[in-house]
């Protein structure tokens, strides 16, 4: 007769981890710390955090993920991780009224349960002060403060570009000088001493000044981290990275693009429509423009109609991911006219959520019309796809500026009208201008490939991070 011993799911994980730890102790004569990563409920943050966790796990660390109950990650995708739900008391991501207000609530509400988890983990696993390290998302800065309070090493993880960091510093400096981005600034002008940023590229440049003041107040609670991890690549942002390094004077680890370092299961909150890959298989090489504005951006139905007709009139094939609820006042795209559908039949496909990384890697895709969220930007460059940039909020303007002005691998869309859109699509997909960008970004793709290989900058940075955690 077989004796079946049922170990509860979570205890099972602890047993496995203990086993692994014992093994490591035997091998290396020392204990490897448990790495606790906190992730915010935003899709674009959770994905790289889980990728970083996967990379560190592959190096030998045990991993715990602290997350809000709102938009939790799926534990079944990461059976080796411990998951620590935080009581957030939030019912939905509502950044339409106030992004900063949402971040404040997130930080205030999650703090007590995070502290409890850390105290419990320390005592349960009988770990000393130095055997646990916290890596916290920059929007979840409460976790850094709690860690320091408990004498643990706290490392900041910035999932956005270094360029955005620079844009924040520029905005902060203007604020300190009493200069607020209101009528007295011409948005197209360059910000003095912050080449290549224009006033319009700074965060909150289109929001009421009160929003920025609230952000400054909230982020003044940010602790000073022991080190900073960035999801970027040295060759892309070398100059900005060294400036931010100088500013912070703590070790900096540029370990991106994380999706190439540690591909991990998707963290989708929507189901991927994989039928678009079959559709792409039937299209000619580099003939399709992929359009998507990520997981958060919302737009006016008038703009969507302009986009629809811009795409239709460009005569190019397109794959368009329109997230349900992303068009203000509508469930999806039910308001698009039959005439548009007739016009695009056979050469346009609209889905709700695409397997984006697979789409960008597909031979048929020759361009990406994007909001320039940092994940999308990195994913596009990593696959050698040039962009049309239509940024909306926060970091997207700075990313778009680097794409179009510094790296010259994309066009900036400034006028949201169908004629302009049609012409941009053709410039990117048909004209020589677009071909030059495609060649440039193809070279960047190769450099990225090298940077994540043995001896490459991101590979070495990750090794450096491992060493830093072990010596902390
Ligand atoms: N994404 C996807 N399918 C879609 C749209 C987006 O898988 O139809 C993924 C995309 O690959 C990226 C993330 O969603 O990893 C969006 O992150 P990004 O930082 O670009 O923008 P955010 O959603 O944070 O605004």
């Amino acid at each position: 007769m077989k004796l079946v011993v049922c170990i509860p799911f979570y205890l099972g994980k602890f047993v496995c981890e203990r086993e692994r730890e014992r093994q490591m102790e035997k091998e290396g004569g020392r204990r490897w710390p448990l790495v606790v990563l906190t992730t915010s409920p935003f899709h674009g943050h959770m994905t790289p955090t889980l990728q970083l966790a996967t990379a560190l796990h592959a190096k030998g660390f045990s991993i715990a993920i602290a997350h809000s109950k709102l938009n939790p990650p799926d534990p079944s995708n990461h059976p080796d991780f411990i998951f620590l739900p935080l009581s957030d008391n939030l019912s939905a991501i509502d950044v339409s009224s106030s992004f900063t207000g949402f971040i404040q609530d997130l930080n205030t509400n999650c703090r007590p349960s995070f502290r409890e988890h850390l105290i419990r983990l320390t005592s349960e696993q009988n770990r000393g002060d130095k055997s646990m390290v916290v890596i916290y998302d920059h929007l979840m800065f409460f976790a850094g403060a709690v860690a320091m309070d408990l004498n643990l090493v706290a490392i900041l993880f910035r999932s956005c570009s270094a360029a955005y960091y620079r844009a924040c510093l520029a905005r902060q400096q203007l604020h300190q000088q009493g200069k607020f981005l209101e009528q007295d600034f011409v948005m197209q002008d360059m910000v003095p001493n912050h080449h290549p940023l224009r006033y319009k590229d700074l965060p909150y440049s289109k929001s009421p000044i009160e929003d920025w003041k609230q952000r400054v107040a909230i982020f003044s609670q940010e602790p000073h981290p022991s080190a900073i991890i960035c999801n970027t690549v040295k060759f892309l942002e070398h100059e900005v990275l060294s400036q931010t390094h100088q500013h912070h004077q703590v070790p900096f680890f540029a370990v991106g693009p994380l999706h190439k370092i540690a591909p991990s299961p998707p963290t989708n909150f929507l189901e991927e429509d994989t039928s678009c890959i079959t559709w792409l298989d039937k299209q000619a090489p580099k003939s399709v423009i992929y359009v998507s504005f990520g997981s958060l951006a919302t737009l006016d139905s008038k703009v969507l109609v302009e986009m629809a007709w811009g795409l239709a009139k460009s005569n190019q094939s397109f794959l368009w991911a329109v997230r349900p609820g992303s068009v203000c006042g509508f469930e999806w795209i039910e308001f698009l006219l039959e005439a548009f559908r007739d016009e695009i039949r056979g050469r346009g496909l609209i889905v709700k959520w695409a397997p984006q990384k697979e789409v960008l890697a597909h031979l048929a895709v020759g361009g990406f019309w994007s909001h320039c969220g940092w994940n999308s930007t990195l994913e596009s460059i990593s696959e050698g796809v040039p962009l049309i940039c239509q940024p909306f909020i926060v970091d997207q303007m700075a990313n778009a500026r680097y794409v179009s002005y510094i790296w010259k691998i994309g066009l900036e869309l400034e006028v949201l009208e169908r004629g302009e859109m049609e012409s941009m699509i053709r410039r990117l997909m048909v004209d020589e201008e677009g071909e030059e960008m495609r060649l440039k970004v193809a070279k960047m793709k190769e450099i990225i490939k090298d940077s994540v290989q043995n001896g490459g900058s991101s590979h070495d940075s990750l090794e450096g991070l491992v060493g830093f955690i072990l010596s902390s």
Side-chain angles (χ1 to χ4, degrees), residues 43-44 290 292 294-296 321 353-354 356 371 373-376 379 396:
H43 179 269
Y290 168 60
S292 163
S295 65
L296 275 179
W353 190 258
Q356 182 165 301
H371 69 312
W374 187 235
N375 293 296
S376 295
E379 288 162 14
Q396 297 158 16

Side-chain angles (χ1 to χ4, degrees), residues 174-376:
L174 290 174
H175 184 86
Q176 281 160 355
Q177 292 161 6
K179 294 179 184 165
F180 305 122
L181 299 188
E182 284 180 324
Q183 297 83 349
D184 35 341
F185 288 95
V186 179
M187 288 292 166
Q188 290 286 356
D189 285 355
M190 292 269 202
V191 185
N193 307 320
H194 289 284
H195 177 87
L197 299 172
R198 299 158 300 183
Y199 289 105
K200 64 183 282 198
D201 303 321
L202 302 187
Y204 295 77
S205 56
K206 293 175 213 148
S207 320
I209 186 62
E210 288 316 316
D211 279 7
W212 175 253
K213 286 185 179 164
Q214 192 188 8
R215 187 198 181 276
V216 171
I218 289 172
F219 280 84
S220 65
Q221 304 158 30
E222 264 185 306
H224 191 73
S226 306
I228 301 177
I229 306 168
C230 289
N231 185 19
T232 190
V233 200
K234 259 188 205 146
F235 93 92
L236 262 186
E237 299 202 277
H238 181 70
E239 196 195 328
V240 201
L241 276 170
S242 57
Q243 279 167 0
T244 39
H245 185 200
Q246 268 169 18
H247 181 84
H248 280 278
Q249 297 291 323
V250 293
F252 239 81
F253 302 102
V255 298
L258 280 162
H259 74 281
K260 289 290 182 191
I261 294 255
S264 69
T267 46
N268 291 323
F269 302 135
L270 288 167
E271 199 183 331
E272 282 177 351
D273 185 340
T274 49
S275 68
C276 59
I277 300 296
T278 320
W279 182 82
L280 283 175
D281 289 342
K282 294 182 195 127
Q283 311 302 319
K286 309 274 178 239
S287 66
V288 177
I289 180 158
Y290 168 60
V291 190
S292 163
F293 293 156
S295 65
L296 275 179
T298 52
L299 70 171
D300 196 274
S301 58
K302 280 192 198 132
V303 176
L304 191 106
V305 169
E306 292 304 300
M307 289 178 70
W309 284 108
L311 283 163
K313 297 290 175 199
S314 74
N315 250 331
Q316 301 304 300
S317 299
F318 64 88
L319 167 63
W320 190 2
V322 184
R323 210 179 67 249
S326 62
V327 184
C328 306
F330 294 91
E331 271 181 33
W332 195 42
I333 47 164
E334 58 277 17
F335 55 91
L336 283 180
L337 300 176
E338 207 45 47
F340 164 74
R341 292 172 202 274
D342 286 344
E343 175 104 17
I344 64 156
R345 212 170 298 282
R347 68 174 171 88
L349 180 68
I350 306 182
V351 297
K352 292 182 174 161
W353 190 258
Q356 182 165 301
K357 288 191 274 290
E358 220 181 315
V359 166
L360 288 169
H362 199 287
L363 273 182
V365 173
F368 182 13
W369 182 352
S370 170
H371 69 312
C372 292
W374 187 235
N375 293 296
S376 295

